[in-house]
Amino acid sequence: MGIPIRHPLIDEVTPHVVRIDSRAVVVRLSPPLAELLARPALGGRRFVLVTPDTSRLTIGLRAALVAAGGVWAVTTPTGFRDGITGVERASIDDAVEAPVAPPGQEADGSQPAASWEQAVADTTQLSIDVALLHAEAHDTVLGGALEALADAVSGTKPLVWGRTEPLDHVWDRWVLTQDARHRAPVPSRILVEGDRLSAAVTARVSDDGIEETIALTVEVPGGIEGLDRAIDRLRAALAELSRRSTPTFALVLARVGEPDRCLRPVEYPPPNPVALLIGAPSVARLDLDSRDFAGEQDVVVVGRPAEPAYLLTLGSAASSGWERLNDALNSVGGEPIDRRGRRDPHAP
């Protein structure tokens, strides 16, 4: 059988962690790193990517790390800090433990025990998470929703795509769709870049058809001054998407980010939810009616007449959308979400 050879990117294996070290200024999803993160971690251990605080992660690497159940740990003089939440950790094994908050602080780590650097980035972005359902048909082509949403926000379009970074394929919806078909039934995950946009797209075959999920971040032209106009254009694009195809869900967050859309280990201002789409399949599954929402909620019926979807206005450049979002989720029986876009651990 021979002796198993440790993957060359593994720097340490502890009782709880498979450690991967990088000192790169920009840590990308290289082919060897993508191959490692796609493996089951040894003995139930979790992957921990360890970097100095001068490093930043691409959206593609962050998506792959999250999909693998991994953690980003940043070295500090006393140990480590979670690169996303800022929670301090004494050891590498502690990095994968659930946060335990001191009295008066959030258990999800949104208020870390120690102060950490505040982001100085001033690029206004819209982050759009959308899931669509396609018929498993010969003429189904992926990527159309991504194109439409990016164009609505900033008039930009995808330029390149690939499975690892740097991306090595010119954007071509037919080619990437054929690539996904050849990999089926294994889910297909690709990364996309363009002028002022980054995205991760996953396609998988289910009993209902082809499920396409998109996590798209687009820079808003004109910064905060142009945000409300971009939100209006995006809401119109979501309404048109509901008429032409079958989205199941979409959530749009306005946020401050880096010009290159990478993530640094600093504290960013909380994102602001600005739009929510409950697509026709979700409306049918939940047996929803527009009257299920409170009267003060701004709900527009979109989609096809026989297959309605609901588009809700949440926040704006001048107002927070968190209360409206959680009111909407309460209306449909969903779980509240905290201000970092995660399920509220204190919800009843």
Side-chain angles (χ1 to χ4, degrees):
M1 295 291 292
I3 300 174
I5 299 175
R6 178 184 290 187
H7 193 286
L9 290 185
I10 295 177
D11 290 282
E12 183 182 8
V13 178
T14 77
H16 303 290
V17 163
V18 174
R19 175 172 175 163
I20 308 162
D21 284 347
S22 176
R23 300 189 63 83
V25 174
V26 179
V27 190
R28 305 181 188 278
L29 186 64
S30 65
L33 185 51
E35 189 272 331
L36 175 58
L37 293 177
R39 295 182 178 186
L42 301 170
R45 295 172 177 85
R46 293 177 66 185
F47 293 110
V48 175
L49 174 65
V50 180
T51 75
D53 62 5
T54 52
S55 294
R56 60 187 188 268
L57 307 190
T58 64
I59 281 182
L61 175 54
R62 182 187 178 185
L65 190 63
V66 169
V71 174
W72 179 20
V74 177
T75 55
T76 69
T78 58
F80 301 91
R81 169 183 286 142
D82 188 297
I84 306 297
T85 67
V87 173
E88 296 279 358
R89 299 301 193 187
S91 72
I92 193 67
D93 279 323
D94 288 343
V96 298
E97 296 296 322
V100 177
Q105 294 189 356
E106 296 288 347
D108 66 1
S110 59
Q111 297 180 29
S115 62
W116 55 319
E117 181 185 349
Q118 304 291 305
V120 294
D122 57 3
T123 301
T124 302
Q125 301 169 342
L126 285 176
S127 290
I128 308 146
D129 288 291
V130 59
L132 302 102
L133 185 62
H134 303 285
E136 194 174 352
H138 177 72
D139 57 354
T140 293
V141 180
L142 305 174
L146 192 158
E147 288 185 339
L149 298 176
D151 181 64
V153 174
S154 66
T156 191
K157 61 181 62 178
L159 297 177
V160 291
W161 70 278
R163 299 186 174 279
T164 59
E165 297 171 315
L167 307 184
D168 54 359
H169 300 291
V170 175
W171 177 255
D172 186 311
R173 292 176 55 201
W174 185 86
V175 172
L176 70 88
T177 301
Q178 296 309 307
D179 183 80
R181 289 184 187 278
H182 292 154
R183 294 176 183 272
V186 176
S188 180
R189 181 182 296 113
I190 67 164
L191 309 176
V192 183
E193 290 285 341
D195 185 24
R196 304 188 302 278
L197 77 85
S198 298
V201 181
T202 301
R204 59 172 53 86
V205 178
S206 72
D207 292 340
D208 297 320
I210 301 173
E211 298 176 355
E212 180 184 12
T213 59
I214 301 167
L216 169 66
T217 298
V218 190
E219 181 179 333
V220 175
I224 192 67
E225 305 298 329
L227 180 58
D228 286 338
R229 293 188 297 275
I231 292 170
D232 287 343
R233 294 192 300 270
L234 184 58
R235 292 179 69 250
L238 287 171
E240 180 64 13
L241 190 66
S242 298
R243 189 179 71 83
R244 292 180 173 272
S245 60
T246 311
T248 60
F249 172 86
L251 176 63
V252 184
L253 302 174
R255 62 173 72 245
V256 171
E258 305 291 338
D260 63 1
R261 298 169 302 283
C262 287
L263 184 72
R264 295 195 299 127
V266 296
E267 185 174 21
Y268 293 91
N272 184 24
V274 295
L276 173 69
L277 174 69
I278 303 173
S282 298
V283 169
R285 178 173 55 84
L286 297 170
D287 193 25
L288 291 179
D289 187 279
S290 59
R291 291 168 294 185
D292 293 329
F293 297 92
E296 63 271 17
Q297 290 175 318
D298 186 354
V299 183
V300 176
V301 180
V302 296
R304 296 176 287 273
E307 299 175 301
Y310 300 138
L311 182 59
L312 287 78
T313 298
L314 303 175
S316 67
S319 64
S320 171
W322 285 106
E323 185 174 349
R324 283 188 170 189
L325 173 60
N326 281 315
D327 285 347
L329 295 176
N330 286 333
S331 296
V332 302
E335 295 178 315
I337 297 176
D338 71 20
R339 289 178 181 265
R340 289 184 179 272
R342 298 168 296 201
R343 188 186 65 81
D344 186 348
H346 304 302

